[in-house]
Amino acid sequence: MSRTLNRFPRNDIMSLTAGAPRYDLAESIGPDLRLRALLHGGDATPAPEGPGEGLEGLGGLALSYGTTAGDPALRRAIAAAHGAAADDVVVTVGGMHALFLLAFILCRPGDEAVTTSPLFPNAMNALTAVGADVKTLPVSFDDGYRLDLAALRSLLSPRTKLVCLATPQNPSGVAIPPGTVQRILTMMAAICPEAYLLADETYRQAVYGDEEAAPSMLSLSPRVVSCASLSKCHGAPGLRLGWAITRDPALREQLILGKFNTVIACSRADEALALRVFKREAEIVGERRRRLSEGLARTAEWVQANGDLLDWVCPDAGALCCLRLKPAAFDDAAVARFYDAMARHDVRVANGTWFGDEARVFRLGFGLLEMDDLDEGLRALSACLALAQKKAA
C-alpha cells in the first residue's frame, strides 16, 4: 500500500459494526432503543424488526450503530444513480465529511493539492487543514468561470496528490465539460500519475426542467473519486447524508477506516429516510428541476431589466448563479452601500468574498423561495441597487 493510502490502521474492532452473532458478548452497550418506543412510549426493546413502509413502519427501526460503509440498500441506490457498483460507495455524514476524509487520506503535510478559486470555503479549508500545499487556479467572472487548461497544467507537479474540482461549481453553477475533464486526466497521467481527481458533484442532478443531468465523472477514469450529498439536489440537508464513490479498493478501505475512526457510522434514522428519498428520487428531483427552471427564468428576466447595473454568468445547473455590479455604475463605496442596504430590506445575497472572489460579485440563490417570494426578494434587491447608487451626503 502506498504512503498516502495508509493513514488509518485497521483494527478488528470494526467487526462490531458488521453482522452480529446470536450471542454477542463483545458489545459495550445495552439493548437498542427502537424509534416506536421513543415516539410513543411503551417497551423500549420489542422483538427485533426492521423498518417497514409508511411513516408508522419506521417505528421498528432500531437506533443502533449502522454499518461503517453504510446501509447496503442505500449504497445500492447511490451506486445506481452514478453508474457505479454498491461496493464502490462509502456513505458519509454529509458531503463535507467525504471531502475532509479524502483530503486527509490523500494529502500529507507538504503534499500538493490543486483546486480552483472562487470556491466553497469549506472545501478549501479541508485541504489547508490537513497541511496540503494548495495550488489555486483562478477562474474569473470575465471568463465565465471556465478553466484555463494551460494554467492548470502549470500547477501540476509530481508532488500533486489531489486535484479537487466541483462541477457544477459553487458559487457560479458553471459545469466542467466531460471533454475538459478528460484532458485534465490526461495531463495528470503524464505529470502526477498517482494523484486522484476529486469530483464534487453536489449539484450534478440540479438541472433545469426537462434537461438531462450530465453523467458522473466516475466513468472517465479509475482515478476519479466522486462525492455528493442529498443536501442540494434532493432538498434534504437535514439528513446529513453524503457519500464518496471510488473504484480503488485501497482508497475505499481507507475511507471506511477513516469514517470508523471519526464518526463510526451514520445515523440509522438518516440512512432509513435517505433510502426513502432515493425510492422517490424521480418524483422529488423532477419537481425540483421544474422549480429551478422557473426560478432561473425569473432571475434572468430581472437581470435583463437591470442590465445597466449588473452582469451575470448564466449557470449550467444548480439553484445559484453569480452576478457582478458594473464598475461604471458602482465604485467601491457604492458596493459597500449595496450590502449595507440589504439589512433595511430584510434580504441577503452571498458576498463574493466568502468564496475568494471580489466584493462586487455576489452569489444569488433562486431555488429556496416560493416564486412569489422570489419576485419580492428581487424587487427588494432592486431597491438596494438604487440606494447604493445614491452618493453619501
Side-chain angles (χ1 to χ4, degrees), residues 10 16 37 72 74 148 173 180 191 193 204 216 236 242 260 275 277 281 293 298 306 323 329 331 337 342 367 386 390:
R10 185 169 184 84
L16 293 176
L74 178 59
D148 181 330
T180 299
I191 301 171
R204 180 177 67 89
S216 171
F260 182 79
L275 183 57
V277 171
E281 183 178 39
S293 179
R298 295 188 185 209
N306 291 275
L323 298 94
D331 58 16
R337 289 196 297 272
M342 290 185 202
K390 294 180 180 179

Side-chain angles (χ1 to χ4, degrees), residues 190-206:
I191 301 171
C192 46
E194 293 188 356
Y196 290 82
L197 174 60
L198 171 55
D200 180 350
E201 300 185 305
T202 299
Y203 291 96
R204 180 177 67 89
Q205 294 191 67

Side-chain angles (χ1 to χ4, degrees), residues 21-358:
R22 172 67 179 86
Y23 303 106
D24 191 353
L25 304 180
E27 261 299 358
S28 59
I29 58 176
D32 298 321
L33 183 69
R34 295 193 178 271
L35 189 57
R36 180 182 298 113
L38 183 64
L39 296 175
H40 303 297
D43 187 355
T45 57
E49 56 178 307
E53 295 299 321
L55 185 60
E56 284 302 316
L58 284 172
L61 179 69
L63 299 179
S64 58
Y65 285 119
T67 61
T68 299
D71 176 77
L74 178 59
R75 287 190 288 113
R76 287 194 294 270
I78 294 169
H82 291 77
D87 284 346
D88 299 334
V89 178
V90 178
V91 181
T92 56
V93 184
M96 272 310 307
H97 187 209
L99 281 169
F100 179 81
L101 286 178
L102 287 161
F104 185 82
I105 291 165
L106 295 174
C107 296
R108 300 288 180 93
D111 287 340
E112 292 179 357
V114 177
T115 190
T116 59
S117 179
L119 179 71
F120 179 57
N122 292 12
M124 178 68 77
N125 293 343
L127 297 172
T128 57
V130 302
D133 182 5
V134 182
K135 307 295 184 182
T136 304
L137 174 69
V139 289
S140 71
F141 189 99
D142 287 329
D143 293 330
Y145 296 106
R146 304 296 176 184
L147 275 60
D148 181 330
L149 292 184
L152 176 59
R153 184 184 184 92
S154 71
L155 299 178
L156 301 177
S157 82
R159 293 175 55 203
T160 304
K161 296 297 186 288
L162 182 63
V163 177
C164 184
L165 301 175
T167 179
Q169 301 163 356
N170 182 3
S172 69
V174 172
I176 305 172
T180 299
V181 177
Q182 192 61 70
R183 292 174 66 186
I184 294 170
L185 288 166
T186 299
M187 290 190 295
M188 292 172 61
I191 301 171
C192 46
E194 293 188 356
Y196 290 82
L197 174 60
L198 171 55
D200 180 350
E201 300 185 305
T202 299
Y203 291 96
R204 180 177 67 89
Q205 294 191 67
V207 295
Y208 308 122
D210 295 327
E211 293 179 14
E212 289 290 329
S216 171
M217 283 204 267
L218 279 167
S219 62
L220 298 178
S221 169
R223 305 301 292 185
V224 173
V225 184
S226 173
C227 69
S229 73
L230 292 181
S231 297
K232 306 300 183 182
C233 301
H234 301 79
L239 291 185
R240 307 313 308 136
L241 206 295
W243 53 85
I245 310 175
T246 175
R247 288 183 279 169
D248 184 324
L251 179 54
R252 180 179 181 272
E253 181 182 26
Q254 278 293 299
L255 284 166
I256 294 172
L257 290 169
K259 180 181 174 184
F260 182 79
N261 280 275
T262 52
V263 299
I264 299 180
C266 291
S267 158
R268 286 202 67 205
D270 281 359
E271 289 190 336
L273 291 170
L275 183 57
R276 293 179 181 222
V277 171
F278 274 102
K279 287 180 177 179
R280 295 182 53 202
E281 183 178 39
E283 172 191 349
I284 292 171
V285 174
E287 188 280 330
R288 297 176 74 80
R289 288 174 177 174
R290 290 187 290 273
R291 181 191 183 103
L292 291 181
S293 179
E294 178 65 18
L296 177 63
R298 295 188 185 209
T299 301
E301 183 178 344
W302 179 81
V303 171
Q304 184 177 16
N306 291 275
D308 57 333
L309 301 178
L310 46 78
D311 298 306
W312 78 323
V313 175
C314 185
D316 296 313
L320 70 176
C321 62
C322 280
L323 298 94
R324 183 173 64 184
L325 302 173
K326 287 188 173 182
F330 297 87
D331 58 16
D332 290 344
V335 171
R337 289 196 297 272
F338 169 68
Y339 288 108
D340 290 342
M342 290 185 202
R344 308 185 208 177
H345 292 274
D346 201 19
V347 61
R348 176 173 61 187
V349 296
N351 192 316
T353 59
W354 297 0
F355 309 94
D357 211 331
E358 59 179 327

